[in-house]
Amino acid sequence: MPSDARLAGQLDPASTVLLTVECQRGVVGPDSALPELAEEARGSGALANVARLVAAAHHAGVQVLHAVAERRPDGRGASRNARLFRAAERLPVRQTTGSPAVRIADPIPVSADDLVVRRFHGLSPIAGTEVDALLRNFGCRTLVVTGVSANVAIPNAVFDAVNLGYTAVVPADAIAGVPADYTPALVRHTLTLVATVTRTDDVLACWREPPGTR
């Protein structure tokens, strides 16, 4: 774990952005198209920790971006060049534009200052989206990555952030994937090599978690 001083320096609210990845109802909500992932995100406490981090970011003046994966009802422009995309087309819950499935899931608070970035293709919440330009316009140096899934979108986001020159910070207890033992293996063997891995409480200590959010 990083020293308190080092982490606090990385998490300066003026140059930090918090990114939530696919924390949408159709992915981690009670009517998820991916019930095993939703159960893990909720049962592990990861989703609750994302909510705590977002609330603390609002309190500290840290910009929040919500990255949402969705598709047009007719599927135009959607990726089909991987097994994952073809499987998604057969799911009972579709992440279609304007549907409840693409709304940010409870208990994550959303403020008027938050930005929602929607992607219609690919695996990454950053590559091929507006995220990089927005981060630069915000003067971001550190990107805090949270959400799901540790299997695909989270490592994509971390790698893209590092490749673009940002410092990536990952609260390991605010991400989730399946099976449950995959996430700690990803953190230990991969994310620790490229990101600052920490815990939700350590980030909140830097941002002075608002009372009543536990």
Side-chain angles (χ1 to χ4, degrees):
M1 291 292 177
S3 69
D4 292 345
R6 178 187 166 209
L7 185 64
Q10 290 180 338
L11 293 175
D12 178 1
S15 58
T16 299
V17 172
L18 172 65
L19 179 70
T20 76
V21 178
E22 295 184 33
C23 291
Q24 56 202 77
R25 295 183 186 183
V27 176
V28 295
D31 299 319
S32 170
L34 304 164
E36 184 182 4
L37 177 59
E39 182 179 350
E40 177 60 23
R42 291 179 174 275
S44 68
L47 192 63
N49 284 332
V50 174
R52 292 172 63 204
L53 287 162
V54 171
H58 292 161
H59 182 74
V62 173
Q63 180 65 50
V64 177
L65 296 183
H66 302 284
V68 172
E70 61 180 60
R71 58 186 288 131
R72 287 169 49 107
D74 61 9
R76 288 177 66 85
S79 299
R80 293 183 174 83
N81 58 332
R83 177 182 171 191
L84 176 66
F85 302 130
R86 296 190 293 273
E89 293 180 348
R90 299 190 296 271
L91 292 174
V93 178
R94 299 293 186 92
Q95 315 295 323
T96 52
T97 302
S99 71
V102 299
R103 297 176 188 167
I104 303 304
D106 294 332
I108 297 172
V110 180
S111 85
D113 292 331
D114 293 0
L115 294 181
V116 178
V117 179
R118 307 180 187 279
R119 83 176 192 273
F120 291 88
H121 63 87
L123 300 170
S124 173
I126 297 179
T129 74
E130 298 175 291
V131 170
D132 181 38
L134 292 172
L135 295 180
R136 295 187 188 283
N137 289 346
F138 287 129
C140 176
R141 294 200 304 270
T142 298
L143 184 66
V144 181
V145 179
T146 66
V148 298
S149 74
N151 304 78
V152 178
I154 293 298
N156 260 266
V158 172
F159 296 154
D160 286 344
V162 172
N163 285 334
L164 290 166
Y166 303 103
T167 295
V169 172
V170 180
D173 55 353
I175 63 172
V178 289
D181 59 0
Y182 180 78
T183 301
L186 170 76
V187 170
R188 182 169 60 252
H189 298 297
T190 302
L191 297 188
T192 54
L193 303 177
V194 294
T196 297
V197 175
T198 185
R199 308 288 292 179
T200 294
D201 285 343
D202 296 326
V203 177
L204 298 179
C206 295
W207 291 346
R208 298 182 180 177
E209 179 180 22
T213 56
R214 284 183 179 270

